[in-house]
Amino acid sequence: MLTIRLTVNGMRQEVEVPTYRTLLDCLRYDLGLTGSKEGCGVGVCGACTVLLDGKMISACIALASFADGRTVTTIEGLAQDERLHPVQQAFMDMGGFQCGICTPGQVMASKALLDEVPHPSEAEIREWMLGNLCRCTGYYKIVESVRAASRAGRP
Amino acid sequence: ALAVFDVQYEARPGVFDQLGGVRRGAPVVHAAPGAYEGAPAERPHPNVQSVLRFKLGDVDAGFREADRVFEHTFRTQLAHHGYIEPHAGVVAIDAEGRVQVWASNKMPYRLKELLAHALRLPKERIRVNLTPIGGDFGGKGSLMDLPLAYHLARVTGRPVKMLMRYAEELMAGNPRHPSVITMRTGVTSGGRIVARRVTAHFNSGAYAAFKPAPTVNLGGAGMGAGVYRIPHLLIESFCVYTHSIPCGHARSPGEPQMVFAGESHMDMIARDMGLDPAELRRRNLLGDGDLLANGHHLEHVRAKETLEAALAATDWGAPKPPWVGRGVAMTHRHIGVGFTNAHVRLETKGTVTLVIGLPDTGTGAHLVLRQVVAEVLGLTVEEVEIELASTDLFETDSGVGGSRVTHTGGRAAYHAAEQLKEQIAAEAARLGVRDASLATIAQAAARDGRTLEAGHFYDAKSHAAVTSFTAQAAEVAVDPETGQVTVRRFTTAHDVGTVINPLGHQGQIEGGFVQGLGFALSEELRTEDGRISTLSLGDFKLPTVLDIPPLTTVLLEDPVGPGPFGAKAIGEGSISAVAPAIANAVADACGVRVQDLPITAEKVYVALRERG
């Protein structure tokens, strides 16, 4: 067992985990943050995308110990009070999700993109979002959502 | 305890593909398949699970009228649904001994019945609690591991959670049946189809129960007739037992397979006869009063308009560069039937609650149902809330599937809301206050100890005489060096009913199209001696955001559907014709005809090299 200290969505957390604990399981089971989802479980589908020190990673193939001393942002950390993050609002307005299982990952990946490139081209959006699979939407409305969020600007 | 067991395995010959399964002398998968509950009686071979036939006219006589006869055989691959949420469920036995179930299952009432049957429990002992579902596409209608979870819960006295890892999903889900389909069509010299005989063999795997329909077959086999008037028709669909993964229902079961075969076949006939593939279709399209393979009459047929819309949007016939081709394909999809309960209740705050036993699999069905209630009662959609009924609340419900929810759920909600509207009017009259708000009316009733509420059970037993046509056209480029196929643009045209939620409607079209695109070009569950060897979602090659071409959607709206306000269905309309549209475009681009899916660069490359 290891004791790790990390900041999740602005809250300092200390958790005791087995060495093999993935960051995703740590978030979901140790911290009760079930917004991040497990799809493929092998770092392919992107449903578990979270930000580690602002950079997107697949939490299903990262060990919890990897986040020791670092800052994690999950889907639960985006909305301010009752107000949705512009990326979340854009996904709602543009129909960027259907069943919602990939959506936390799509939203986190979009946020990471817009933090780095506030006004991406369509080609840049597609290149960046390539690691986030979606079976429901066929992606068209996800691309539109990212564009809309880009237009709306960030707070 | 393991030490006391000494296990020795005796390897016996297996059979892994559908044609091998029905060969004479093939290893027999089940000693007495006819003894299984619900097993069909007809069994031309011990490994045949079921036979489904569609028959019009006299097919032998029909072929005698033909000037030309064409026969081609097509194959389609084993394909997973690809929902991102694997199967999951929890079974807990509560203090009263009731079996509480939470599961990613789209048919909670049928789940209750199947569980009761499998576990030999009275139905009333089981309560299925509805949960949101992370994608379904036909794959989430079975028991999966829930009986096991029940027994573990029973023995341990603890709640048991069952969760499939994605590798397990791929190995042990209930994927789309692989097929071998032979199409034989007799045509007059004028390009009119006079007869068609279709023989389809579907690899059903080791068990039949993922097809919980009386036929134990795939209804989509009827699509062997395509969208054409065929006076003499015989379709025979054989589901075959093999020693491999049991297959199940997947978004329009059997149709992507049949439509790939049928629409590729039509193109091959047209090219052989020197006809424009669109023209051969025009000469044979279904019209008003024509019969479908299942013997149903059709009305409000807009097959031709749908075809022309797709062609126009794709510049059919316009000049194109070398190694670029265009292809068209058509299909149609029924508006599903089934039965749904809906209950509506006026709350004292003036909002309305819709109680429904249908889970939302991610299609936005709940929003559509709220819209229907809002429309009837003159409310905003925000003023209609949804409440999910556990299986304790209603007697039955056919659940989600078969393009039925907007129709059956929508009509149930519509009629319930209409009754509530009458009650509200009666209560308002009793109050004698002009323009009383809904809150005032509900509160007045509440003071008398009454709640204004109404329920409706809507049961559609047979299909309406309308269907929904699809015409899709692809423009592709083939790389002469590698055989790689790139879809340059794609058009999907649909003859639809009243569109209740345009955003959700378009989302269904786009999602179905991209699922069809994956089926056409990349997705395949590979097997070795019946065992799945594609064990990661990455290896399965679901399309990514980089793979999607520019898409044009054309809607021909006609409010003639059986759903509320004339709605039809859309969830399964855009998947089935994608692969043949692309295959036909590839043939147009470079002369290579790929008759087995997926259309990989490797297959096109080999064909180009063989041609020299």
Side-chain angles (χ1 to χ4, degrees):
Chain A
M1 297 292 274
L2 294 168
T3 302
I4 59 168
R5 292 172 190 85
L6 68 170
T7 303
V8 181
N9 301 331
M11 300 251 293
R12 297 166 79 84
Q13 302 279 2
E14 185 174 302
V15 272
E16 201 174 330
V17 294
T19 49
Y20 55 80
R21 193 69 146 172
T22 64
L23 178 57
L24 180 62
D25 283 352
C26 175
L27 291 169
R28 287 180 59 87
Y29 298 111
D30 299 324
L31 298 174
L33 295 171
T34 54
S36 307
K37 306 298 182 193
E38 177 171 325
C40 71
V42 292
V44 165
C45 78
C48 64
T49 304
V50 298
L51 306 187
L52 184 66
D53 291 338
K55 304 282 181 199
M56 64 174 184
I57 60 160
S58 293
C60 77
I61 50 168
L63 288 175
S65 60
F66 189 55
D68 190 20
R70 301 171 79 174
T71 297
V72 178
T73 309
T74 71
I75 189 74
E76 289 91 343
L78 290 197
Q80 299 289 317
D81 303 319
E82 290 296 291
R83 208 162 57 93
L84 292 177
H85 188 277
V87 174
Q88 292 174 306
Q89 190 62 50
F91 271 72
M92 292 209 27
D93 294 343
M94 308 307 289
F97 67 96
Q98 288 182 26
C99 83
I101 200 85
C102 75
T103 313
Q106 303 279 0
V107 169
M108 296 314 290
S110 307
K111 181 189 181 322
L113 167 63
L114 297 177
D115 285 345
E116 199 162 307
V117 188
H119 300 289
S121 67
E122 177 155 343
E124 284 174 313
I125 294 172
R126 287 180 179 228
E127 188 71 35
W128 184 281
M129 302 294 290
L130 144 76
N132 288 83
L133 297 179
C134 172
R135 185 55 137 182
C136 296
T137 64
Y139 304 104
Y140 292 95
K141 297 200 184 305
I142 291 177
V143 175
E144 285 175 36
S145 301
V146 180
R147 293 172 70 105
S150 166
R151 282 195 300 274
R154 293 161 304 137
Chain B
L2 284 176
V4 304
F5 292 100
D6 177 23
V7 181
Q8 292 182 351
Y9 294 95
E10 181 192 346
R12 296 175 60 187
V15 59
F16 308 111
D17 73 278
Q18 56 272 49
L19 293 184
V22 292
R23 204 169 288 140
R24 199 187 310 191
V28 170
V29 178
H30 292 271
Y36 295 137
E37 190 179 337
E42 183 179 355
R43 200 165 313 284
H45 183 285
N47 286 339
V48 169
Q49 241 174 44
S50 62
V51 188
L52 183 60
R53 283 193 190 80
F54 297 88
K55 197 168 181 290
L56 295 174
D58 176 345
V59 77
D60 292 327
F63 275 110
R64 285 195 290 273
E65 296 170 22
D67 298 312
R68 304 273 312 267
V69 174
F70 299 87
E71 183 176 312
H72 306 108
T73 295
F74 303 88
R75 287 176 163 76
T76 65
Q77 75 276 41
L78 180 67
H80 194 272
H81 311 79
Y83 36 72
I84 306 296
E85 172 209 61
H87 276 88
V90 173
V91 176
I93 300 167
D94 68 17
E96 283 85 51
R98 296 202 67 202
V99 181
Q100 300 279 350
V101 180
W102 294 261
S104 50
N105 186 293
K106 62 171 180 165
M107 295 176 161
Y109 286 79
R110 193 175 73 187
L111 175 62
K112 178 174 84 168
E113 284 176 21
L114 289 175
L115 270 177
H117 189 76
L119 303 173
R120 297 190 178 82
L121 291 173
K123 273 199 307 192
E124 306 72 48
R125 283 272 301 284
I126 298 169
R127 172 180 160 131
V128 179
N129 301 282
L130 272 62
T131 64
I133 293 168
D136 155 44
F137 316 112
K140 301 238 177 97
S142 67
L143 293 174
M144 215 42 85
D145 290 343
L146 291 169
L148 194 62
Y150 162 77
H151 285 298
L152 290 170
R154 185 177 56 81
V155 172
T156 60
R158 304 276 296 159
V160 171
K161 177 160 77 173
M162 175 280 290
L163 200 156
M164 283 165 84
R165 297 289 177 195
Y166 219 94
E168 294 163 334
E169 263 296 339
L170 295 169
M171 280 192 288
N174 55 132
R176 184 182 294 286
H177 288 65
S179 69
V180 180
I181 299 168
T182 297
M183 294 246 163
R184 183 178 169 85
T185 299
V187 187
T188 66
S189 52
R192 288 200 181 278
I193 299 172
V194 285
R196 178 177 285 181
R197 189 181 173 113
V198 181
T199 308
H201 286 91
F202 291 101
N203 184 343
S204 289
Y207 299 99
F210 282 127
K211 293 184 291 290
T215 63
V216 204
N217 207 290
L218 298 172
M223 203 52 68
V227 292
Y228 308 109
R229 181 190 300 120
I230 303 179
H232 304 288
L233 173 75
L234 177 61
I235 301 171
E236 288 184 297
S237 166
F238 300 91
C239 283
V240 181
Y241 279 121
T242 63
H243 294 103
S244 51
I245 184 169
C247 290
H249 284 168
R251 202 172 195 168
S252 59
E255 289 185 13
Q257 296 96 313
M258 271 294 177
V259 177
F260 170 66
E263 287 298 275
S264 298
H265 181 56
M266 283 298 280
D267 245 55
M268 294 163 83
I269 294 171
R271 286 171 200 281
D272 202 315
M273 295 181 75
L275 281 171
D276 177 348
E279 182 53 29
L280 178 65
R281 287 175 170 83
R282 282 187 197 107
R283 291 182 192 176
N284 291 284
L285 284 174
L286 289 163
D288 279 344
D290 281 340
L291 293 180
L292 293 177
N294 59 14
H296 290 171
H297 280 276
L298 281 183
E299 292 166 13
H300 303 288
V301 172
R302 299 187 72 190
K304 186 168 182 304
E305 295 92 323
T306 312
L307 171 63
E308 301 302 343
L311 296 176
T314 317
D315 302 322
W316 192 258
K320 53 191 172 55
W323 298 94
V324 167
R326 299 194 187 104
V328 67
M330 294 186 71
T331 188
H332 72 90
R333 180 70 179 160
H334 65 225
I335 294 93
V337 294
F339 40 90
T340 298
N341 272 292
H343 190 93
V344 287
R345 184 172 71 227
L346 183 65
E347 308 290 355
T348 51
K349 59 181 174 178
T351 60
V352 169
T353 302
L354 166 66
V355 187
I356 196 102
L358 288 165
D360 195 321
T361 56
T363 59
H366 286 168
L367 180 57
V368 167
L369 300 180
R370 287 165 61 205
Q371 283 182 269
V372 168
V373 173
E375 182 75 19
V376 171
L377 294 170
L379 301 172
T380 65
V381 71
E382 289 76 18
E383 292 171 314
V384 181
E385 290 170 10
I386 205 144
E387 186 178 298
L388 297 183
S390 81
T391 56
D392 281 359
L393 201 68
F394 296 127
E395 183 60 31
T396 186
D397 197 296
S398 55
V400 175
S403 282
R404 77 163 68 90
V405 170
T406 298
H407 172 205
T408 64
R411 284 287 293 273
Y414 178 92
H415 294 298
E418 285 270 300
Q419 290 171 48
L420 182 61
K421 192 178 176 179
E422 286 171 23
Q423 289 187 30
I424 291 169
E427 188 69 25
R430 211 167 7 244
L431 263 180
V433 182
R434 273 177 68 91
D435 300 327
S437 73
L438 287 182
T440 306
I441 292 167
Q443 285 159 13
R447 278 194 295 275
D448 295 348
R450 286 176 294 115
T451 303
L452 300 189
E453 55 189 336
H456 188 84
F457 177 62
Y458 178 77
D459 185 2
K461 288 194 173 64
S462 59
H463 287 285
V466 294
T467 186
S468 191
F469 287 92
T470 300
Q472 296 182 313
E475 184 178 284
V476 307
V478 176
D479 184 328
E481 297 297 322
T482 64
Q484 182 69 40
V485 174
T486 305
V487 180
R488 286 157 54 102
R489 58 183 175 139
F490 198 92
T491 300
T492 188
H494 302 271
D495 148 41
V496 299
T498 303
V499 177
I500 294 177
N501 186 307
L503 193 66
H505 193 265
Q506 184 63 23
Q508 287 300 303
I509 291 172
E510 291 170 1
F513 159 62
V514 175
Q515 196 166 6
L517 187 73
F519 187 63
L521 294 173
S522 57
E523 295 173 14
E524 182 166 19
L525 274 181
R526 293 179 171 274
T527 60
E528 289 170 21
D529 289 348
R531 279 186 297 257
I532 305 293
S533 57
T534 302
L535 297 177
S536 134
L537 199 50
D539 295 339
F540 180 61
K541 295 189 198 151
L542 231 63
T544 75
V545 68
L546 275 184
D547 300 317
I548 57 170
L551 177 68
T552 303
T553 302
V554 186
L555 300 182
L556 289 81
E557 234 178 299
D558 203 0
V560 296
F565 312 109
K568 290 186 179 176
I570 195 63
E572 298 175 296
S574 62
I575 183 172
S576 298
V578 180
I582 291 173
N584 295 340
V586 169
D588 187 50
C590 67
V592 168
R593 172 59 62 180
V594 179
Q595 288 170 246
D596 59 325
L597 292 179
I599 306 166
T600 59
E602 186 181 357
K603 287 175 191 169
V604 178
Y605 174 88
V606 168
L608 285 171
R609 287 299 164 278
E610 279 173 359
R611 196 180 60 186

